[in-house]
């Protein structure tokens, strides 16, 4: 956790405060969110990204509702049906796309398979995209706007899973507004836990007409905090003075360095240049053994996409390397040395020269 976040939590812990979001810290956090997005917003604070995604999608759900997303999206692969729990009867339909992104044209073709007035297939109520996405890539404003236009033509809202939203803002060099409501996003799951907070998640709505329903959904989902100030204070810390963006920039830079190290190794093959702080690479069994011996932990990864580069090695597998605001030169050097030693003394000497 960021030291600034810890210090702000200590400040928030001093004395008593009104409950359920009536405290000054929540007011400050909401003001900062309005400044951050350059407009009025409705926001609720929740404990996890899965809760944020499920509540966001539930807010736009209707009977027979279908949410469309990429085949590897977190909402369909990693949330154990939470969207359906929060919105009874919600269906999720997936489509493939290169680099973990769905494309506007393919989305339009898929939406056409849900004819208006035909009850058997359901009706599109939302499209969900992830930024930064599940293989470390970003949607830019023009891509988002194209997807939003196609979705809205069929009456579907556009949701963005922004568990690493600040990393996307940092790497693209555009405003939060440009990546969200100006491009047509209706609701954002804004995650700051992965940026430097602790259970610091929010659902940000750009349509205030949903406010009353959202507050009831938050309560029904057991996500209304009596001590809301401790969630809000983290947003104050991370959104003040661009602190969260600075942390995201550090993580992104470390991710770029990880990619360089992997590209230089004969035992690793990144599937794409990272856009932010996550790098996905095929690693040989020899390389994995060297990482294990060095105490370097990577996450085994799988993808359902047919458009992701295949493993070029005869063994090993796909791994995720994730950098954070805490990733330092020592950790990067350890990674470089481990992979260099995996390939033998001669390669190690060249890699470290």
């Amino acid at each position: 956790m960021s030291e600034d976040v810890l210090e702000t939590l200590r400040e928030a812990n001093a004395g008593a405060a009104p409950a359920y979001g009536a405290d000054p810290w929540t007011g400050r956090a909401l003001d900062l969110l309005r400044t951050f997005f350059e407009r009025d917003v409705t926001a609720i604070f929740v404990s996890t990204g899965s809760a944020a995604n499920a509540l966001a999608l539930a807010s736009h759900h209707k009977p027979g509702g279908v949410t469309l997303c990429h085949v590897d999206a977190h909402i369909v692969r990693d949330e154990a049906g939470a969207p359906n729990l929060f919105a009874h009867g919600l269906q999720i339909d997936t489509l493939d796309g290169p680099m973990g992104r769905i494309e506007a044209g393919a989305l339009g073709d898929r939406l056409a398979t849900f004819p208006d007035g035909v009850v058997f297939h359901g009706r599109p109520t939302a499209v969900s995209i992830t930024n930064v996405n599940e293989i470390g890539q970003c949607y830019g404003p023009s891509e988002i706007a194209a997807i939003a236009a196609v979705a809205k033509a069929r009456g579907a809202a556009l949701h963005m899973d922004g568990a690493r939203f600040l990393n996307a803002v940092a790497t693209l060099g555009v405003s939060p507004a440009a990546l969200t409501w100006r491009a047509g996003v209706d609701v954002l799951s804004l995650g700051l836990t992965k940026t430097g907070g602790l259970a610091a998640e929010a659902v940000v709505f750009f349509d205030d007409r949903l406010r009353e329903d959202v507050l009831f959904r938050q309560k029904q989902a057991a996500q209304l905090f009596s001590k809301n100030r401790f969630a809000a204070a983290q947003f104050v810390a991370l959104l003040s003075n661009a602190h969260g963006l600075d942390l995201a920039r550090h993580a992104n830079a470390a991710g770029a360095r990880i990619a360089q190290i992997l590209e230089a190794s004969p035992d690793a093959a990144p599937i794409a240049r990272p856009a932010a702080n996550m790098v996905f690479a095929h690693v040989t069994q020899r390389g994995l053994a060297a990482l294990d011996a060095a105490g370097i932990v990577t996450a085994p990864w799988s993808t359902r996409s047919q458009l992701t580069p295949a493993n070029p090695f005869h063994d090993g597998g796909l791994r995720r390397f994730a950098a954070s605001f805490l990733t330092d030169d020592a950790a990067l050097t350890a990674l470089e040395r481990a992979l260099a030693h995996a390939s033998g003394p001669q390669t190690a000497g060249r890699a470290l020269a």
Side-chain angles (χ1 to χ4, degrees):
M1 189 190 303
S2 158
E3 289 296 326
D4 284 22
V5 170
L6 279 172
E7 182 56 36
T8 305
L9 284 172
R10 291 188 190 98
E11 292 178 27
N13 193 47
Y20 299 113
D23 60 279
W25 288 99
T26 298
R28 287 177 62 186
L30 292 174
D31 286 342
L32 283 166
L33 284 168
R34 295 178 187 114
T35 300
F36 189 64
F37 289 107
E38 304 174 52
R39 61 164 290 166
D40 192 21
V41 297
T42 294
I44 57 173
F45 300 96
V46 297
S47 59
T48 69
S50 293
N53 286 337
L55 281 168
L57 294 174
S59 69
H60 290 278
H61 181 59
K62 299 175 183 177
V66 179
T67 292
L68 293 94
C69 64
H70 190 273
V71 68
D72 285 327
H74 202 272
I75 61 170
V76 72
R77 293 205 60 186
D78 297 290
E79 295 183 355
N84 181 271
L85 179 67
F86 283 28
H88 182 67
L90 182 149
Q91 305 173 69
I92 297 181
D93 192 47
T94 64
L95 62 158
D96 208 346
M99 309 307 293
R101 294 189 292 257
I102 60 175
E103 297 178 317
L107 176 62
D109 292 342
R110 180 59 61 84
L111 288 171
T113 67
F114 297 90
D116 285 331
V118 178
V119 299
F120 302 101
H121 309 310
R123 54 178 170 174
T125 52
V127 174
S128 181
I129 60 176
T130 309
N131 220 9
V132 178
N133 75 13
E134 285 76 14
I135 61 166
Q137 304 299 301
C138 293
Y139 289 91
S142 61
E143 293 174 287
I144 297 169
I147 292 168
V150 172
K152 293 175 192 301
R154 287 299 310 275
L158 181 59
H159 163 249
M160 179 180 287
D161 178 348
R164 293 176 175 84
F165 182 73
L166 293 192
N167 297 90
V169 172
T171 199
L172 293 169
V174 299
S175 70
L179 273 188
T180 54
W181 61 272
R182 284 184 181 146
V185 173
D186 297 289
V187 57
L188 168 71
S189 300
L190 176 58
L192 298 188
T193 301
K194 291 179 172 65
T195 305
L198 171 67
E201 309 285 328
V203 191
V204 181
F205 297 88
F206 302 107
D207 182 352
D208 194 54
R209 292 174 298 180
L210 297 170
R211 176 174 174 78
E212 184 175 6
D213 284 354
V214 165
L215 295 178
F216 279 102
R217 289 186 186 277
Q218 180 189 23
K219 180 59 176 175
Q220 289 178 334
Q223 289 292 318
L224 179 59
F225 303 144
S226 60
K227 296 184 177 180
N228 196 75
R229 68 186 187 275
F230 294 114
Q234 297 182 68
F235 279 76
V236 171
L238 289 163
L239 295 182
S240 295
N241 304 314
H243 178 53
L245 282 172
D246 288 340
L247 298 180
R249 291 186 186 101
H250 176 95
N252 289 353
R257 179 64 184 131
I258 289 171
Q260 292 174 348
I261 294 169
L262 295 173
E263 288 169 354
S265 171
D267 287 291
I271 63 175
R273 287 190 177 275
N277 66 316
M278 293 187 297
V279 186
F280 295 81
H282 293 289
V283 183
T284 66
Q285 196 61 46
R286 180 176 64 177
L288 292 174
L291 295 177
D292 287 344
I296 296 172
V297 178
T298 62
W301 210 254
S302 65
T303 174
R304 294 175 182 169
S305 174
Q306 301 300 306
L307 303 173
T308 302
N311 188 351
F313 306 118
H314 69 277
D315 63 7
L318 185 62
R319 290 294 191 276
R320 183 181 73 169
F321 297 75
S324 78
F325 71 96
L326 290 174
T327 304
D328 57 15
D329 289 341
L332 297 171
T333 298
L335 173 64
E336 186 174 26
R337 286 177 174 165
L339 287 173
H341 291 164
S343 304
Q346 292 183 340
T347 304
R350 289 196 301 273
L352 294 173

